[in-house]
Amino acid sequence: MSDSSGKLKLGALVALVVGSMIGGGIFSLPQNMAASAGVGAVLIGWAITAVGMLTLAFVFQTLANRKPDLDGGVYAYAKAGFGDYMGFSSAWGYWISAWLGNVGYFVLLFSTLGYFFPIFGEGNTPAAIIGASVLLWAVHFLVLRGIKEAAFINLVTTVAKVVPLLLFALICLFAFKLDIFTADIWAVGTPELGSVMNQVRNMMLVTVWVFIGIEGASIFSSRAEKRSDVGKATVIGFVTVLLFLVLVNVLSLGIMTQPELAKLQNPSMAAVLEHVVGHWGAVLISVGLIISLLGALLSWVLLCAEIMFAAAKDHTMPEFLRRENANQVPANALWLTNAMVQIFLVITLFSSSTYLSLIYLATSMILVPYLWSAAYAFLLALRSETYEQALAERQKDLVIGGIALLYAVWLLYAGGVKYLLLSALLYAPGAILFAKAKREVGQPVFTNVEKLIFAAVVIGALVAAFGLYDGFLTL
């Protein structure tokens, strides 16, 4: 999939986008969606999400083409548009979000294996944590052998995980019953879901969790064979995943009713297929999920190391994160990342309930880098920067950037104050690494504006710390 110089071709980049977006989320989608919304709200929510996320995909495509000198995607755009500290915070937030997500993947993987081997339970028994730790370091040493090789294995697992999804869609297409689908479109029979607007807001938060990874290709822009492939891979990957998500979600609603789906255990896709074809359906989906999670783990381990490495290359992160091994893999960034995953795996052993909250927290940490990327694309079009000869394109990109920015702000609002405060708690300590990186190049740590921003982050972190201690905030 890659040429002799180790550069990634279009197929490998698309696989990175699809591979990092299709993790475990899609396999739990029927239950997750039914628990928060009825059929009508689900359709409205998907329409809004499709437009919002598509504009974000276009933002990444536009920025990849208009700013070919910026490597490392989300982080580089925040830095170019809003200064070093914002760039650092974007990389830091993205990195934390990515490895926290990996902790969640390990728990989900072993709870799926628990379907076949009860010793793994819900994925947080001692046996599951030992298994997850062994797997973590196996992936670690695989990636140390080379990014190109790991990207090829990711391509294979991406193809393998798409097969059960295709089979699910085909079987459910024939089993779909319109009368079940239209029975209670606005979920009038389930008042606990609240108003349609409320349902849309709740279900849209679930959709963000399943779309994280859309920026996968832009993070690897410096390793792409052709720069133009980065934007193409983002849009192709997005459209493919969107189709799968909508099919899985909508077809399930025509096989079982919304209250039935809401009660299913996850991975709920397994139960839906079992409902249609019997036991082998559940086995097929469980195997698909296991392959899918292994592939997603690999994608995200690659993304974690790459974002720290890209930020260290231009002195936004400390020097030691820039070291590559003989296979051109950012080894120190990889060790730091997987050490954090290991620590948190041990923590899930003692506090079972925090795992899902950590996933929500991870997602709220990624919304900030998304917001800066959309804001940067909007700024470029607003200032006519790089649009000197392309006025028609500028109008179009101004609209797209504006919609993406509104969508990103709306997501922060939908996530709620609680997760913003908790993410401040994770953002604040990052300043230690930022200060170290600045000292290494002999520059003052903060500009005057950045001092104000950092002060706001510290205040947010203190409120969150007190909230956790006092009990008015919980994980």
Side-chain angles (χ1 to χ4, degrees), residues 10-241:
L10 181 63
L13 288 168
V14 171
L16 269 165
V17 177
V18 175
S20 46
M21 283 166 84
I22 297 186
I26 190 167
F27 293 89
S28 309
L29 203 59
Q31 185 277 334
N32 290 351
M33 288 299 191
S36 46
V39 174
V42 162
L43 295 177
I44 296 169
W46 275 121
I48 300 172
T49 300
V51 173
M53 276 291 172
L54 186 61
T55 56
L56 262 179
F58 282 143
V59 157
F60 288 122
Q61 182 179 33
T62 304
L63 290 173
N65 295 341
R66 294 210 161 267
K67 288 284 182 182
D69 51 321
L70 295 180
D71 289 327
V74 284
Y75 135 75
Y77 305 142
K79 178 174 174 169
F82 307 98
D84 289 356
Y85 181 57
M86 283 296 112
F88 170 85
S89 296
S90 239
W92 177 252
Y94 189 88
W95 176 70
I96 290 182
S97 164
W99 63 253
L100 272 178
N102 267 355
V103 177
Y105 278 158
F106 276 116
V107 175
L108 187 57
L109 174 62
F110 279 87
S111 90
T112 308
L113 284 169
Y115 178 84
F116 303 103
F117 311 103
I119 189 171
F120 295 133
E122 293 289 300
N124 49 15
T125 60
I129 300 304
I130 292 167
S133 304
V134 171
L135 183 59
L136 167 70
W137 296 105
V139 170
H140 175 84
F141 289 108
L142 170 74
V143 174
L144 280 178
R145 294 183 57 182
I147 299 273
K148 191 180 79 169
E149 289 73 11
F152 176 71
I153 294 171
N154 178 56
L155 181 77
V156 176
T157 56
T158 301
V159 174
K161 68 172 101 167
V162 165
V163 174
L165 295 178
L166 272 174
L167 274 171
F168 178 88
L170 281 170
I171 293 168
C172 291
L173 203 57
F174 289 105
F176 185 84
K177 291 191 172 61
L178 198 61
D179 55 331
I180 293 179
F181 187 72
T182 54
D184 184 10
I185 282 200
W186 301 111
V188 186
T190 37
E192 64 272 15
L193 290 179
S195 68
V196 172
M197 185 59 210
N198 230 5
Q199 292 176 42
V200 170
R201 181 181 153 182
N202 292 341
M203 83 78 58
M204 277 182 68
L205 275 177
V206 181
T207 62
V208 183
W209 316 149
V210 289
F211 274 122
I212 290 183
I214 188 172
E215 66 302 307
S218 70
I219 303 261
F220 281 90
S221 48
S222 66
R223 298 181 193 264
E225 193 181 47
K226 291 212 299 264
R227 285 300 299 212
S228 57
D229 285 351
V230 173
K232 276 189 209 143
T234 303
V235 176
I236 294 168
F238 168 75
V239 173
T240 311
V241 174

Side-chain angles (χ1 to χ4, degrees), residues 27 30 115 168 264-276 278-286:
F27 293 89
Y115 178 84
F168 178 88
L264 292 179
Q265 220 184 339
N266 281 317
S268 46
M269 252 177 92
V272 173
L273 199 56
E274 187 168 30
H275 186 76
V276 180
H279 182 64
W280 70 266
V283 174
L284 172 81
I285 296 299
S286 297

Side-chain angles (χ1 to χ4, degrees), residues 402-423:
I403 295 172
L405 187 55
L406 282 173
Y407 179 65
V409 171
W410 192 89
L411 287 177
L412 276 176
Y413 156 75
V417 177
K418 168 185 165 179
Y419 286 113
L420 266 182
L421 286 173
L422 288 172
S423 49

